Amino acid sequence: MVVVSVERFTEIQNFIRNYNGMYIDCNAELESAFPEYSPDTLGSIVAKEVVQRVKANHAKISSKASALVKEYQTAAKQTSAHDILQKMAITQCVPSMVVCRIVLGNIYQSASRTEVAEMLRMPDLIGDSLLAVNVSYCLYSENMDGPMTDLVRRFIGEEYEVRLKKMAREAGMVFYDEGDLRRTGYDKTPDLKMAVPFLFRGQVVNWIESKASFGDMDSHKRYIKDQLASYGNRFGPGIVIYWFGYLESIAKCPENGKDVIVTDGFPAQDEMVFLKFNLPVFETEAPKNNSDVKQ
């Protein structure tokens, strides 16, 4: 089980918050400092910390857009280095793609958000060759933000949804997936809705939601508000699986109520009880001879 105590989680948070450098290096150093946890678990915790930091500081950083552009242009004239934007991002304690996005949006003010996003995805579109090199360097060295990171996270989420369905079939569950439910008119849907509920540790389970991430208190409460509460109201109790582990306190979070069960993996076979159907058997006596057969 990957259930992290509040004390240990606080230590990990403090390590991340006090780290000064690239986040990809922070991940590597975390693995050495906290070897009892997997890289997936630690990486997910870092990602959530970074998201919170960006949300908290984005307005402040955006307000300094002109100063950031001036800083970049001054350094570009002096050094022509490929990692100017990367170093600026480290100073601002945000992912490098955040700084790239702000600088590009300020330099190319006539460009739309879509056009800026395309420049981030394909730096070759940027007219200034040194700026293109800097953005490209950030793109390929950043693991917390940007188009490549978004793509990787989407693939990981889809991988675990496929894994969930495979494990559910192997366990003998009968279920509807998101596609089945949306075709019948549902908007917010769990990953799996049980056609036949089952018992998990004595509790009835009607649905299962897959989260390819670490479950911390803030994100868990947000999931309850945005998704899980509506599943409980509509279908009854269910399970949310945090594949990369969770903070121990969220298992008994008051917001869970009676409808949200928290786990860090697919239920073990001996933890589940399935409804068995005893179908009646109708026996018929075979005709003894041709005269018994109705014409």
Side-chain angles (χ1 to χ4, degrees):
M1 291 182 65
V2 187
V3 181
V4 182
S5 68
V6 174
E7 293 77 16
R8 201 62 168 154
F9 183 67
T10 301
E11 291 177 22
I12 296 172
Q13 282 183 310
N14 289 336
F15 185 101
I16 298 167
R17 291 170 182 176
N18 294 327
Y19 189 83
N20 183 31
M22 294 172 60
Y23 290 113
I24 195 167
D25 295 328
C26 179
N27 277 7
E29 293 188 31
L30 268 175
E31 291 172 27
S32 298
F34 302 91
E36 66 269 38
Y37 303 117
S38 72
D40 287 334
T41 296
L42 295 172
S44 184
I45 294 174
V46 173
K48 289 175 183 284
E49 280 294 309
V50 172
V51 168
Q52 292 300 321
R53 180 179 295 178
V54 170
K55 286 182 177 179
N57 297 328
H58 193 269
K60 180 180 177 181
I61 297 171
S62 296
S63 68
K64 298 190 293 185
S66 297
L68 290 172
V69 170
K70 186 175 180 181
E71 180 182 346
Y72 166 76
Q73 291 173 336
T74 300
K77 289 178 182 178
Q78 294 174 348
T79 67
S80 297
H82 66 282
D83 59 350
I84 300 170
L85 292 175
Q86 182 68 260
K87 290 177 178 177
M88 289 170 58
I90 292 172
T91 302
Q92 297 297 327
C93 297
V94 294
S96 57
M97 295 305 287
V98 172
V99 173
C100 291
R101 196 174 288 113
I102 291 172
V103 169
L104 284 174
N106 195 266
I107 290 177
Y108 298 97
Q109 294 184 8
S110 61
S112 65
R113 278 191 174 186
T114 301
E115 290 170 329
V116 171
E118 282 295 289
M119 292 180 195
L120 289 171
R121 192 171 66 87
M122 295 184 290
D124 290 347
L125 297 174
I126 300 171
D128 183 326
S129 60
L130 182 59
L131 181 57
V133 167
N134 268 266
V135 172
S136 182
Y137 181 74
C138 292
L139 175 66
Y140 293 110
S141 60
E142 180 60 68
N143 67 333
M144 288 294 146
D145 185 27
M148 292 183 66
T149 301
D150 292 342
L151 192 62
V152 168
R153 288 175 180 164
R154 194 185 81 195
F155 285 161
I156 291 173
E158 291 177 356
E159 175 191 342
Y160 276 88
E161 286 181 21
V162 170
R163 184 178 301 188
L164 172 63
K165 292 178 186 178
K166 182 175 183 292
M167 297 174 81
R169 291 189 186 99
E170 290 175 349
M173 295 179 182
V174 182
F175 59 84
Y176 304 105
D177 63 18
E178 286 181 288
D180 297 326
L181 294 171
R182 284 176 181 164
R183 281 191 292 272
T184 58
Y186 289 103
D187 48 0
K188 292 185 178 181
T189 60
D191 291 313
L192 300 184
K193 163 67 175 70
M194 298 299 112
V196 181
F198 65 94
L199 291 180
F200 170 64
R201 298 174 184 171
Q203 293 180 274
V204 175
V205 172
N206 296 281
W207 51 268
I208 302 178
E209 179 72 7
S210 170
K211 298 295 181 187
S213 63
F214 178 84
D216 66 286
M217 187 61 76
D218 289 339
S219 61
H220 181 64
K221 287 184 177 179
R222 187 169 63 253
Y223 289 142
I224 290 175
K225 180 181 177 182
D226 296 342
Q227 297 176 306
L228 306 181
S230 65
Y231 302 162
N233 291 336
R234 183 172 294 172
F235 305 121
I239 292 174
V240 56
I241 301 175
Y242 289 105
W243 294 102
F244 301 158
Y246 61 86
L247 182 65
E248 63 177 354
S249 56
I250 74 170
K252 296 182 179 179
C253 173
E255 285 82 353
N256 292 342
K258 297 180 180 180
D259 292 333
V260 179
I261 304 165
V262 179
T263 74
D264 66 334
F266 192 82
Q269 198 68 35
D270 60 0
E271 295 178 310
M272 299 182 290
V273 177
F274 294 96
L275 183 63
K276 295 182 179 179
F277 296 95
N278 293 319
L279 298 177
V281 178
F282 298 97
E283 296 184 357
T284 58
E285 184 178 351
K288 295 179 181 180
N289 51 55
N290 292 339
S291 61
D292 293 330
V293 181
K294 294 183 179 180
Q295 299 298 322

